[in-house]
Amino acid sequence: MSKVKHVYFFGAGKAEGSADMKRLLGGKGANLAEMTNIGIPVPPGFTITTDVCRYYYNNNKTYPPDLDEQIKEALAKVEEIMGMKFGDPKNPLLVSVRSGAAESMPGMMETILNVGLNDETVEGLAQKTQNPRFAYDSYRRLIQMYSDVALGINIDFFENALEEKKKEKGVKLDNELDADALKELVKTYKEIVRRERGMDFPSDPMEQLYIARDAVFNSRDAERAITYRRINKISDDEGSTAVNVQTMIFGNMGDDSGTGVAFTRDPNTGEKKFFADFLFNAQGEDVVAGVRTPLHVDELAKAMPDIYKELLEYADKLEKHYKDMQDIEFTIQQGRLWILQTRRGKRTAAAEVKIAVDMVKEKMIDKETAVSRVMPERIDQLLHPMVDPKAEAKVIGKGLPAGPGAAVGKAVFTAARAEELAKKGEKVVLVRTFTSPEDVGGMHVSQGILTSTGGMTSHAAIVGRDMGKCCVVGCGDIKVDEAEKQFIAGDIVVKEGDIISLDGNTGKVMLGEVKLIEPSMSGDFGTLMQWVDEIRKLGVRTNTDTPVGARRAREFGAEGIGLCRTEHMFFEADRITPMREMILADDEAGRRKALEKLLPMQRNDFIEIFEAMEGYPVIIRTLDPPLHEFLPHTPEEVDALAREINVHPANLQKKIDALHEANPMLGHRGCRLGITYPEITEMQARAIMEAAVEVTKRGKKVIPEIMIPLVGFVSELKAQKDLVDKVAKEVMEKAGVTIKYMVGTMIELPRAAITADEIAQQAEFFSFGTNDLTQTTLGVSRDDAQGTFLRFYADNGIIDFDPFMTIDEKGVGELIRIAVEKGRKTRPDLEVGICGEHGGDPNTVDFCHRVGLDYVSCSPFRVPIARLAAAHAELRSRGMNIKKDK
Ligand code: PEP
Ligand code: MG
């Protein structure tokens, strides 16, 4: 049996791994290997594979027997390259031990730095660097980080000891403590470890390394990592981490050292502008944690022009190599530049679009690649309101604009409080000095995030931006006091519950609620969507029953209306009374009288909608819901209606009771209404056709499609179609105008799907009502189930998606396949679409493409998302590997 390789070495221009080994080496490990191979100065090291992590969890937290041997071999190579030895008291090699899963999870898993320091090696480091202060500071940091991460000791013990030491020495800042003070502090820290864990801080470097490795693997199942995976729908397998062991490079070796994080383009706007956060004389995490607000990169350019030039060269090389915007960590150790890691830079959706479009213009990628890079759900961020630049606002501070859009909500100061209020449906803005991974849940439910410290690469900025949250960081104008639940901006005190607004594009913090404006489809977004339309095959229509919705959907690129639910029009103030009169009438004559009042109102609605959708098809559905939905429920409402229509309340109540059904969704609704009360369908057909005549006379093209709901038997459809045709003929003859229209049906009952060949004899088009089709196929109520057992099912792995959001391909999807095939057998030119909620879900759009539908229809705001999803579906069918939306 050949030996399984658990450890992959990289260093001195040669690596055993490469970029395409992300699953095995994790994102970070694969990139370290790749960067080494293309000649980037990466500190040498090795990666323990994610398979070892899987082995660890599958084998009761044990390791493959030959792992340690492979680690030692790789370590020896590193020692050789660096000319240093792990544990050598004179010339000690120190390493960092970092996590890195296939799916990036920023800040979620553990890192331990300075591994290899002990009482002897610390002296070696002190001598080598001529900087005992630095050596002992590194040592005390190791003990603290190690105790926190690997031993789970409360970090406050160490922080308190540090504070006490500062008091004792009469200094204010950490870096004012001298080497002797830090030496004493190391002693105290070790005592804390002994006291808290009854053991000595391990001095053997190999033992330190092994324990650090265990800590990284264990952190895969830390609560915050589990939460992050749940929110981002990352499986435990994808979240399995590699362990990267790498030579430590020190950014805190004096003023010729430093550390930073760079983006090859602006992660907020996407502008092609090198962008970095930098700190002199600082070590790695200081920048990312956002505890010290970093310097502008110009400071680096001024102080170290050669290094800056070199950094720009590597950034350019990395971006060209990966053909995507990179997020690069670098460290300068005594005037020498090292690149610690690079990865695809997280960015806002706006930046994503701009970068994709710019890279096509720069001939770095093609249009298809550009389209494939933007995930449909992400562009939702671009379709939402921004702060109106003309809005009057009381600006109380300005920070860095780190995340898109705008946020308005009540200020809250802890993640827990954010979650508590959000659960009650309140809009909140999370305000913190800085955020840490524990805050992720609270950030997720907030409208926006505001921090007083940190840069564009701080935790708040990276995580917030990726979530699509409006985010303002490093706002030094405010002083946050989490304990007092308030922040102070000049002489203004903002307390918990006070409304504030954030502008993620300018970084402004404003008191009160500011006016927002609607987004625009122009610029880079427009360009990208144009490419989307060139690629996709599937049409995209919208579900709307208002002229405003129709106009908005047109702006968003809808090619018609896939569903106009006429019943919504009856709920408006001027309509509800005649509607109720119609429902409560004793006979046909009474119903007709009430319908006469509704006719002109419906006709006007349709005229406006046809005008908004000029030249595009408009599917209007006849009345669908059970009639009692329109009736009053409380005794007060019944009394009021009785007075209004002049009947006795008791009689009215009796009628309402008579309309009660035990199971209304399976009751007297859909086409069953139009069949038992044909005058309803007659009125609606008349309103539609008269509106169509009117708009045609105004010189505009109208394409009406009349849709009959909840058909199970072809005879139901035939009865309704005959009626519609009769009315249409009358209206057209009277007006002397001929309009091409179609009559079709919803397919939303299993019987309709199965008998689609018969139904297509009458239907000129099908539209899948997947809300009802899911409800009736699964026998699960669409109105109740999500709040009760479906959630439980999802949490407990019984189902892995909500069948009312993403199509159940195996069940409901199979019925759709059958219906499409049978329907087209009868009528090859049958137009087929979908209008259930699923129509706006990217994964369902992919299914609709594969099954050969003509279009999907969804709410106006989801139209661009569906267009992009349709382009992705086409690109996938051409063989392109595009991740599915989660
Ligand atoms: C459906 O059932 O999927 C549908 C679109 O109709 P409604 O939601 O109005 O029942
Ligand atoms: Mg329905």
Side-chain angles (χ1 to χ4, degrees), residues 563 565 567 621 624 665 669 709-710 746-748 768-773 775 782 835-836:
L563 175 63
R565 292 177 166 103
E567 54 268 19
R621 180 178 73 184
D624 182 29
M665 285 308 261
R669 59 166 285 216
L710 214 77
M746 297 197 69
I747 303 286
E748 51 184 345
F768 289 99
T770 45
N771 304 331
D772 275 311
L773 191 58
Q775 164 166 267
R782 60 190 266 191
C835 65

